[in-house]
Amino acid sequence: MKKWEEVYKTENTMEDFIGNVANHSTLLSEIFIERPKRILEIGSGSGTLGIFLSHFNFKVTSIDSNGKVIELAKKHNKLFSGKVKFIKQDAFKLGFKGDSFDLVYHQGFLEHFSNEEIIALLKEQLRIAPIVVLSVPNNHYGHKDVGNERLLSKEGWERILSKFNVAESREYYTLPRREFKRAIPWLKPTMYLAKIKR
């Protein structure tokens, strides 16, 4: 199984940055709809999505438990003129007071945890923000980036999330699949998105 510092080991190019934003435009749009002022990203990854959001005057804080991932995200923050505050922190014990944020989001995070851990993580997130927007690869994604991902169907995710107030639940296409969908109608959406409200 790969370690996260192996996945995020090289600096992104501008093409990588734009591609990642385009791939997750559905997730970003759901965040924009809520017009949050203070946003927490959990699982910094390359930092791309948080950096993009910071260009719209959202106050973005991003956490990750892996210091090497945080260091690369900080490099990208500088390279792409971001204004994100990156912090090494454990998502199970968020070091923030209740209602410190307007919204929490993560992309490609929850699929690495058990059902019980997912419930605990979401409860902790809803303690510090009234809205959580999440995106995970679904059962049509086709491969595992790290190796421990659970690639579930929309219905599988809905069963796990049934203990929460789910305001939005749907699948979405990432580019270039969204463009290919016009030419190849049997292609399936590869991501699942949910919006949970307190």
Side-chain angles (χ1 to χ4, degrees), residues 4-67:
W4 284 111
E5 56 264 29
E6 294 174 52
V7 175
Y8 299 109
K9 63 184 177 185
T10 56
E11 288 188 21
N12 282 356
T13 63
M14 180 57 78
E15 186 175 0
D16 296 328
F17 182 89
I18 292 168
N20 197 26
V21 167
N23 274 336
H24 298 292
S25 59
T26 300
L27 168 67
L28 293 165
S29 294
E30 282 300 323
I31 294 168
F32 270 80
I33 287 168
E34 298 299 329
R35 303 307 295 172
K37 292 179 181 169
R38 303 161 301 159
I39 298 174
L40 177 67
E41 175 185 49
I42 297 181
S44 303
S46 67
T48 301
L49 300 180
I51 293 165
F52 176 79
L53 289 168
S54 78
H55 286 286
F56 293 88
N57 292 321
F58 297 124
K59 185 178 178 184
V60 182
T61 302
S62 181
I63 67 160
D64 201 291
S65 61
N66 188 310

Side-chain angles (χ1 to χ4, degrees), residues 94-148:
L94 297 171
F96 306 103
K97 294 178 181 177
D99 292 318
S100 293
F101 297 92
D102 303 309
L103 182 144
V104 171
Y105 82 92
H106 32 85
Q107 197 290 309
F109 176 69
L110 288 183
E111 73 272 18
H112 300 281
F113 299 96
S114 69
N115 292 6
E116 295 76 21
E117 289 171 323
I118 290 168
I119 291 166
L121 286 162
L122 290 171
K123 284 181 178 178
E124 177 66 351
Q125 292 164 27
L126 289 167
R127 178 184 68 78
I128 63 159
I131 302 169
V132 175
V133 181
L134 66 95
S135 163
V136 290
N138 68 15
N139 57 319
H140 302 297
Y141 188 65
H143 69 280
K144 295 183 177 186
D145 295 323
V146 176
N148 68 344

